[in-house]
Amino acid sequence: MGDLSVSGTTTSSWLNTLVFTKMWEELANDGEWWNHDWTVKVDPDAVFFPRRLQANLASRTPFGGVRMAGLDSGIGSEPLYAGNCDRTWHGGPARLKLFGSIEIFSRNAIGSYKAFGKSCLEKLPWKGWGEDYFMQSCMNMLGAKAFNGTSLLADERCHASPCSDTTKVTFHAFKTIPEWFSCWGTSKSIEEWKEKQEQEVEERQRQQEEEEEEEEQQHSGGTLVVMKK
């Protein structure tokens, strides 16, 4: 198990690495992850909007997430995970970190973990780590690349953002049920309002284009009549 007394302890919270390695082992052995481009782990006190994440990951997903005949978007793809915090502490260097409120891994990142994850437990000094720092260190050891996912997360431990910010995929942390639903409701209602506004703009543009096309056709028709004379 973890040990808060060891040198290099990275958290004052739960040393939950071993518990989560059991979870990841079960997930890897289940095999369902292979049917999906991405695997996402979310804390229960995080408000999560999966559709927003799907839109954000589309550009990083081979073929845009569309399955193509005879092609598998997992083969040959680089193992990736999201570094979702770039805050610095105590004057340390700025670098991408993995915060456990939301963890995002590509198919081949999970595949690498399934094949070689046990070596991380054997070689890394994980007993003073939280599970998110362990997964970050393990992914780095296995050659997975961190992409910049700092815009996806609003976390008071890194960079906070109000629930009204619909560019965020996840908001953390909300420890009570009323707080959780309040954040979800605020973000969802603003998202729906923005979507309605966009639809109205698109509808006005469509109507304007139709009116201009009709006017052009009428003008052309009038010219043809004159030319016939």
Side-chain angles (χ1 to χ4, degrees):
M1 298 298 288
D3 186 353
L4 286 170
S5 66
V6 301
S7 176
T9 298
T10 61
T11 180
S12 58
S13 183
W14 299 102
L15 298 178
N16 51 8
T17 293
L18 198 57
V19 173
F20 272 86
T21 58
K22 297 297 183 183
M23 180 276 293
W24 285 115
E25 182 179 349
E26 287 294 320
L27 181 141
N29 290 335
D30 176 76
E32 178 61 26
W33 56 273
W34 185 252
N35 297 319
H36 306 277
D37 295 300
W38 301 90
T39 296
V40 182
K41 169 259 180 188
V42 183
D43 280 354
D45 59 352
V47 177
F48 174 49
F49 292 89
R51 191 175 68 167
R52 296 180 194 174
L53 178 60
Q54 184 180 40
N56 272 278
L57 291 178
S59 63
R60 300 184 184 277
T61 305
F63 316 129
V66 177
R67 301 303 172 116
M68 302 178 69
L71 295 174
D72 189 326
S73 58
I75 297 175
S77 300
E78 185 177 27
L80 298 172
Y81 73 94
N84 52 26
C85 180
D86 60 359
R87 178 181 170 184
T88 61
W89 285 267
H90 311 298
R95 62 177 183 270
L96 289 173
K97 305 172 187 67
L98 172 61
F99 269 33
S101 41
I102 180 169
E103 301 176 23
I104 305 166
F105 303 99
S106 70
R107 180 191 288 120
N108 276 1
I110 297 297
S112 296
Y113 185 84
K114 175 179 172 58
F116 306 109
K118 288 184 179 180
S119 64
C120 294
L121 282 173
E122 296 170 355
K123 297 179 180 180
L124 295 174
W126 55 268
K127 290 190 176 181
W129 297 352
E131 62 87 17
D132 48 2
Y133 189 72
F134 169 80
M135 287 301 291
Q136 171 186 317
S137 301
C138 183
M139 285 292 153
N140 291 342
M141 192 183 96
L142 299 180
K145 181 181 178 180
F147 68 87
N148 193 327
T150 55
S151 63
L152 305 177
L153 175 63
D155 194 316
E156 58 189 16
R157 299 176 305 154
C158 183
H159 298 302
S161 190
C163 296
S164 57
D165 184 356
T166 57
T167 66
K168 302 301 181 186
V169 165
T170 305
F171 302 88
H172 185 260
F174 299 92
K175 301 297 185 180
T176 69
I177 294 175
E179 288 176 336
W180 193 98
F181 274 105
S182 176
C183 179
W184 182 87
T186 296
S187 198
K188 186 65 175 177
S189 62
I190 292 176
E191 179 182 59
E192 291 175 345
W193 178 82
K194 287 183 176 180
E195 289 177 349
K196 183 178 180 181
Q197 293 294 107
E198 291 174 357
Q199 290 172 357
E200 290 177 352
V201 169
E202 291 175 357
E203 178 62 21
R204 287 196 296 269
Q205 290 176 340
R206 185 187 64 79
Q207 291 178 352
Q208 182 178 355
E209 290 172 357
E210 289 180 350
E211 290 172 359
E212 290 175 353
E213 183 178 355
E214 182 178 352
E215 183 178 348
E216 183 178 350
Q217 289 175 349
Q218 290 176 349
H219 178 72
S220 298
T223 303
L224 286 173
V225 172
V226 173
M227 289 176 66
K228 286 181 180 179
K229 289 180 179 180

